[in-house]
Amino acid sequence: YHFASENRCAFRQVFLQAPLEACLERNGQRPPAARVPDFSIRHMAEVFEWPGVEGKSWEAREFVSTTLDAHAATTGAQLDAFLERFSAQHG
């Protein structure tokens, strides 16, 4: 964020949120060479720190952070839908 701000570039964080079991299931459907070890997914689910979305932190600004519910659709579908909405809003 700070680098982008200092260099007058656009910046946006997009977080995809899905239940651990959905992540493990999707990972299991990948080709073997593309799979992430299950222990890595479980560990990240335990230690990942979601950005603060309330208060006065820089992450709380609506134009900086977006969290998408990735449970119902694939990552690609969620990102495509987000980009369509974002493009429509910001032309």
Side-chain angles (χ1 to χ4, degrees):
Y1 170 77
H2 295 289
F3 177 82
S5 179
E6 290 169 7
N7 292 282
R8 302 179 67 187
C9 297
F11 176 84
R12 183 92 178 207
Q13 300 182 114
V14 178
F15 296 93
L16 300 171
Q17 188 173 26
L20 174 61
E21 292 307 316
C23 295
L24 292 169
E25 181 181 331
R26 290 177 186 161
N27 187 52
Q29 294 172 356
R30 293 180 175 148
R35 289 186 190 141
V36 176
D38 283 356
F39 74 86
S40 295
I41 295 171
R42 291 180 190 283
H43 177 71
M44 289 307 299
E46 291 175 18
V47 301
F48 186 79
E49 293 184 26
W50 291 94
V53 293
E54 295 180 7
K56 296 185 179 186
S57 74
W58 66 271
E59 295 172 321
R61 298 179 202 161
E62 183 181 344
F63 61 89
V64 172
S65 298
T66 301
T67 301
L68 303 176
D69 179 3
H71 178 257
T74 66
T75 300
Q78 287 291 323
L79 287 174
D80 288 345
F82 167 75
L83 291 172
E84 284 180 26
R85 285 193 311 273
F86 185 80
S87 294
Q89 292 173 352
H90 302 286

